Amino acid sequence: MRGDAASMTLLRAKSAADALRLRARNPAALPLAGGTDLMVHWNAGLLNGRTVLDISAVKDWRRIKVGKDGAEVGALATHAALLRQPAVVAGWPLLTAACGLVGGPQIQARGTLGGNIANASPAGDTFPPLAVYEARVRVASSAGSRELAFSEVFTGVKKTSLKPDELIESIYLPRPAKPARQLFRKVGTRAAQAISKTMAAGLLWLDKKGAVGELRFALGSMAPTVRRLRKAEQAVRGRKLDRETIDLAVKLLASDVSPIDDIRSTRLYRLRAAENIFRGFLEGRLEGV
């Protein structure tokens, strides 16, 4: 089956208020931002008979504002736009490293950060960095707006906690203190345009005595939603990263994720790759972006 544009209804929003008004009237409409995922479904005929709400012209949701305490990224800001912002690259390098690995240049020029989140794929490249940066997502409807912790956005594969009449408005990135170590790593079948087997993002802060002040580590493509390694993070807090502590943290990794066998990889490979990346980060052998 092919896409049949004549069977579809297209609504075009010119402003944020217009988008929210149209969303309220058409809660079943599919939001269209960059279209990098939606057009795949259209080509396959999966959108025939559906209503699409095009929000790509909403300028207010494209803005990127960087301040002393953090950055506010409009939901329609593209991956390429984030890569062009020196202040974002300097302040949140794990996120921009992920943006640089989303598809190829054409996808990065069209795909949006809000669209990546709304798509809710377990393999969303930006999700581990957003998880360790403890981003907050602002969603809006005609009734008002509310803010969600990034960890509260996803409820399952391709599922979010957004209400039917809500759209993602912006993503707020708190500015983190300078970490002792940081890491973004994507494992795929090739260097570009690959859906991840697993992804990892980590931030580590050490105190003056060399003990762990705070660890944040997140994995993607390892569970229905992105996962922070909460048990491992808690286990190492206040301890020096000796062999015993690192072995314990790596052992706890499997209790926070539930990898599966699929066409891209096996459960065992995903688990082993994630454990190796996590160990390398804790040992100081793997860092940077």
Side-chain angles (χ1 to χ4, degrees):
M1 184 182 293
R2 295 184 178 181
D4 178 13
S7 73
M8 299 165 60
T9 300
L10 177 63
L11 306 173
R12 286 192 173 130
K14 298 179 180 179
S15 66
D18 197 24
L20 298 178
R21 177 181 58 80
L22 289 170
R23 183 64 168 168
R25 293 179 179 178
N26 304 272
L30 297 170
L32 170 63
T36 58
D37 283 289
L38 207 63
M39 292 307 295
V40 174
H41 296 306
W42 181 82
N43 286 331
L46 299 178
L47 304 188
N48 291 349
R50 299 292 302 272
T51 297
V52 173
L53 172 57
D54 182 358
I55 60 174
S56 61
V58 180
K59 293 181 179 179
D60 288 348
W61 291 354
R62 294 184 199 165
R63 295 173 182 168
I64 301 172
K65 302 177 184 177
V66 181
K68 180 181 178 181
D69 298 323
E72 185 172 4
V73 179
L76 298 182
T78 65
H79 303 296
L82 287 164
L83 288 167
R84 290 194 299 266
Q85 290 277 341
V88 178
V89 175
W92 297 270
L94 305 185
L95 175 60
T96 52
C99 289
L101 292 175
V102 174
Q106 299 92 336
I107 298 296
Q108 294 163 19
R110 291 290 304 174
T112 65
L113 187 59
N116 199 205
I117 295 170
N119 193 41
S121 166
D125 289 323
T126 63
F127 298 169
L130 290 171
V132 297
Y133 285 134
E134 298 186 339
R136 300 196 294 272
V137 179
R138 180 168 290 277
V139 299
S141 70
S142 57
S145 62
R146 63 188 178 110
E147 197 170 82
L148 299 169
F150 187 70
S151 61
E152 298 174 346
V153 172
F154 306 111
T155 59
V157 177
K158 298 284 187 175
K159 296 179 180 179
T160 73
S161 57
L162 272 67
K163 298 174 183 177
D165 62 341
E166 290 181 324
L167 294 169
I168 298 175
E169 183 178 59
S170 63
I171 299 92
Y172 181 75
L173 301 167
R175 186 181 293 278
K178 185 177 180 180
R181 296 177 201 164
Q182 56 186 332
L183 171 77
F184 175 76
R185 186 61 57 93
K186 175 175 178 173
V187 179
T189 54
R190 54 181 184 250
Q193 299 198 39
I195 299 176
S196 301
K197 295 174 183 286
T198 188
M199 294 164 293
L203 294 171
L204 175 69
W205 292 269
L206 301 174
D207 64 23
K208 294 180 180 179
K209 295 181 179 180
V212 176
E214 184 178 3
L215 168 68
R216 300 179 194 169
F217 205 88
L219 292 170
S221 283
M222 293 284 286
T225 63
V226 62
R227 293 290 172 83
R228 282 273 297 272
L229 301 186
R230 299 288 186 181
K231 293 178 182 178
E233 291 174 358
Q234 183 62 34
V236 303
R237 186 184 292 271
R239 299 176 60 167
K240 291 195 174 181
L241 291 174
D242 54 22
R243 177 57 64 88
E244 180 182 359
T245 299
I246 292 173
D247 286 348
L248 172 62
V250 173
K251 183 178 180 180
L252 289 170
L253 179 149
S255 63
D256 277 319
V257 296
S258 51
I260 62 169
D261 295 308
D262 64 15
I263 193 171
R264 296 195 305 279
S265 191
T266 65
R267 174 188 181 279
L268 182 60
Y269 179 89
R270 284 187 166 100
L271 192 58
R272 184 61 58 85
E275 288 174 343
N276 287 342
I277 293 170
F278 190 36
R279 181 180 293 277
F281 179 65
L282 295 178
E283 291 178 349
R285 294 184 290 106
L286 295 176
E287 55 183 307
V289 296

